[in-house]
Amino acid sequence: MAACSMKGLTQPHYTSTLRKAEYLLFSAILLALVAATGATHAGITRHFDFNITYHNETRLCHMKKIVSVNGMFPGPTIHVNEGDRVVVKVTNFVLYNMSIHWHGIRQLRSAWADGPAYVTQCPIQTGQSYTYNFTVLSQSGTLWWHAHILWMRATVYGAFIIHPKRGVPYPFIQPDEEVPIIIGEWWKSNVEHVLLEYISSGGSPNVSDAYTINGQPGTLYNCSASDAFVANAFPGKTYLLRIINAGLNTEMFFALANHTLTVVEIDASYTKPLAASAILISPGQTTNVLVTANQPVGQYYMAAGPYVSGQGVPFDQSITTAIFSYTGSSNSSSPTVPTLPKFNDTKFATNFSQNLRSLSTAQNPVNVPSQIDHQLFFTVGLSIKSCHHNKTCKGPNGGRRSASVNNVSFVLPKTALLQAHFFNLSGIYTADFPSNPPIKFNYTGKAPKNLQPSVGTRLKSIPFGSNVQLILQDTNLVGAESHPIHLHGFNLYWVGQGLGNYHPANSSTFNLVDPPIRNTVIVPPGGWAATRFTADNPGVWFLHCHLEVHNTWGLEMAFIVENGKGPLQTLPPPPADLPKC
Ligand SMILES: *[C@@H]1O[C@H](CO)[C@@H](O)[C@H](O)[C@H]1NC(C)=O
Ligand SMILES: *[C@@H]1O[C@H](CO)[C@@H](O)[C@H](O)[C@H]1NC(C)=O
Ligand SMILES: *[C@@H]1O[C@H](CO)[C@@H](O)[C@H](O)[C@H]1NC(C)=O
Ligand SMILES: *[C@@H]1O[C@H](CO)[C@@H](O)[C@H](O)[C@H]1NC(C)=O
Ligand SMILES: *[C@@H]1O[C@H](CO)[C@@H](O)[C@H](O)[C@H]1NC(C)=O
Ligand SMILES: *[C@@H]1O[C@H](CO)[C@@H](O)[C@H](O)[C@H]1NC(C)=O
Ligand SMILES: *[C@@H]1O[C@H](CO)[C@@H](O)[C@H](O)[C@H]1NC(C)=O
Ligand SMILES: *[C@@H]1O[C@H](CO)[C@@H](O)[C@H](O)[C@H]1NC(C)=O
Ligand SMILES: *[C@@H]1O[C@H](CO)[C@@H](O)[C@H](O)[C@H]1NC(C)=O
Ligand SMILES: *[C@@H]1O[C@H](CO)[C@@H](O)[C@H](O)[C@H]1NC(C)=O
Ligand SMILES: *[C@@H]1O[C@H](CO)[C@@H](O)[C@H](O)[C@H]1NC(C)=O
Ligand SMILES: *[C@@H]1O[C@H](CO)[C@@H](O)[C@H](O)[C@H]1NC(C)=O
Ligand SMILES: [Cu+2]
């Protein structure tokens, strides 16, 4: 018990008051800047310093050394306005290689700043720096940043908040206060050891020991009685919760006891208001909800618990909590726990996704591509490879677990793909990724025997400006499972979803008017998701499952979007400090 009470002294407890102070300071600086420059429309340049260092954190009565940014966990929140230029100097002081991804940022003609290791850049090695330099255009809302190498993002992550252009109000009621809510996962052991262990065994990785909200497991875990994030609520006020799922391997349900959540924005794209008792948020996704403190003065839990769609998938059934604490309430009795959907409530999950609509107004128009130049059909799913070693692997039937897209299990190269593409280096990848599954079968029916994925670094090349329709179809080879699929460099119009096998006739049900716009769409278990995008951003862009467990198994591929005509459609050369392999 001594260890438990001691750790309270060393741990930062984030409260919304702290965040508010941070925000007020930010606003004050902003107003001063606006006054000084008279700028109301043009963006400004914002500089940030990210030092990657080690520090100790104690959770669940267990101290461990983690890798983090500027000694903070979660890392610093970045605040910008739409239109701003962002310059972040990242310096690596740890022994691991590092790379930071600005998740959901379009990176128009700045692919060099996107961040996935061995895709757009080589890692920032120990002692090195790299300055990410990009503008934030035509997006507003909550995004986030995270390490994009190995499983480093377990502790290297933070919020990236894009406020509207100066002088432009939200298209919903002005909240009294804004609170980032970052859901994560905590392992007592070194996460990189968990990664190495399951790669070598061929089985599934150890599940996390706790889910967290703003780095804290919450009071319902053992040896965590005082480790909860507390948001102070003033009766009658309205709060904007900026919810981010930074977890590695778990889709989550989130709710606030006795309060209705009104979704107003997802993945930095406004939505029609959607009232919900709980939301589904998958790793990679962000969701802004309004909540009004209109209940009797008291303490209410915000809680996040797992959505697990696969049969027999190991997972942790616990829930993480934070406290929504009304001013004037007593903490002598425990807060009310919200009712979350059951862990396998796929009906709730698909219904929630189906009800999301983009806002689609004159100020926020939605232009879904109608003429399609490229029809792509990708199967996504789990698979089994034969055991390499002369030992028994821990996957089903003594094999090694893997995952693939169109039956290709992706292998990251030793040189970054974007450099290989830009400088025409040969032998790094082949541009022959299949547009359709090489073998057709009943994807969601009884699995064919002996369908092993091929392995390779295969990319799909697309001419600049093409309109692409991408159908993502889950497979049932090793059990159907939900996959949150993230595309870098673009937002996807999520025009449809369904269960079973996609059939071209399903296109008659597509929402081409106000579909949700996301950088991470969910392919339902044993079902499909239909998406469209315009390839208006030259570069190499990663497409992958945002469950790290599947990503590591190879559930990923990359697009090359060719240059168009003229400088506005051409990727400039890399910055001088781009890391080398
Ligand atoms: C990052 O490290 C450099 C070099 O030690 C130091 O000068 C700088 O102040 C640090 N920045 C932050 C935000 O800690
Ligand atoms: C973390 O704790 C260990 C063991 O107490 C200590 O040796 C180490 O210096 C600490 N590391 C940091 C970065 O504070
Ligand atoms: C960032 O990019 C802009 C546009 O290319 C350039 O003018 C500026 O010098 C860059 N800043 C840094 C710090 O590299
Ligand atoms: C994973 O879990 C197993 C079983 O509990 C344990 O023996 C092993 O040490 C764990 N591995 C890591 C890296 O924590
Ligand atoms: C807390 O510990 C008890 C006793 O060891 C155990 O039964 C229970 O499952 C634990 N709860 C959590 C949330 O880990
Ligand atoms: C909150 O909801 C719970 C059930 O979820 C209910 O039992 C309780 O009465 C509600 N509390 C208030 C203050 O409405
Ligand atoms: C689907 O979601 C809507 C909006 O959240 C809700 O009103 C409705 O009851 C849900 N339907 C089912 C079948 O869950
Ligand atoms: C309750 O609140 C008081 C005053 O803020 C605080 O000193 C005390 O530690 C809290 N107790 C619990 C169990 O959180
Ligand atoms: C969800 O899991 C429970 C067991 O915990 C099971 O009884 C139920 O049938 C499952 N529901 C679905 C839809 O799979
Ligand atoms: C089995 O693997 C070990 C090392 O992992 C190796 O030394 C041995 O020669 C292998 N045996 C056979 C029959 O391949
Ligand atoms: C695919 O398999 C499912 C489940 O066995 C079955 O219901 C469906 O009819 C099959 N579809 C086709 C086209 O064979
Ligand atoms: C770091 O990255 C470089 C370049 O890809 C590679 O050669 C080196 O082995 C990596 N180091 C570690 C510790 O992974
Ligand atoms: Cu997946």
Side-chain angles (χ1 to χ4, degrees), residues 210-213 216-221 252-253 301-306 316-322 337-341:
Y211 305 113
T212 56
I213 290 178
Q216 302 294 347
T219 59
L220 299 185
Y221 285 97
M252 301 295 272
F253 294 120
Y301 274 132
M302 300 181 228
D316 173 5
Q317 268 210 62
S318 64
I319 63 172
T320 176
T321 53
V337 183
T339 310
L340 289 167

Side-chain angles (χ1 to χ4, degrees), residues 13 36 64 88 215 247 250 267 272 344 375 406 423 428 444 483 510 569:
H13 282 238
K64 82 167 183 175
V88 191
T250 318
D267 295 9
K272 294 190 170 67
N344 57 359
Q375 303 267 2
N406 272 353
F423 296 108
I428 313 292
T444 55
H483 300 283
F510 287 175
Q569 300 184 357

Side-chain angles (χ1 to χ4, degrees), residues 189-190 193-194 197 206:
S189 43
N190 182 324
H193 294 169
V194 174
E197 191 174 77
N206 286 3

Side-chain angles (χ1 to χ4, degrees), residues 348-429:
F348 181 95
T350 51
N351 181 48
F352 178 74
S353 299
Q354 218 130 29
N355 283 320
L356 293 167
R357 297 275 182 280
S358 56
L359 183 60
S360 184
T361 56
Q363 292 75 35
N364 297 279
V366 173
N367 299 306
V368 185
S370 52
Q371 299 295 321
I372 300 301
D373 306 306
H374 282 272
Q375 303 267 2
L376 304 176
F377 185 89
F378 290 0
T379 55
V380 295
L382 307 184
S383 45
I384 304 291
K385 287 195 287 201
S386 56
C387 198
H388 255 352
H389 323 285
N390 60 7
K391 55 173 186 179
T392 313
C393 285
K394 283 193 181 153
N397 309 323
R400 252 185 322 149
R401 286 188 178 276
S402 71
S404 60
V405 181
N406 272 353
N407 215 37
V408 181
S409 191
F410 195 82
V411 180
L412 279 175
K414 300 266 183 283
T415 297
L417 294 167
L418 186 58
Q419 274 125 302
H421 164 62
F422 193 87
F423 296 108
N424 259 321
L425 310 178
S426 61
I428 313 292
Y429 66 84

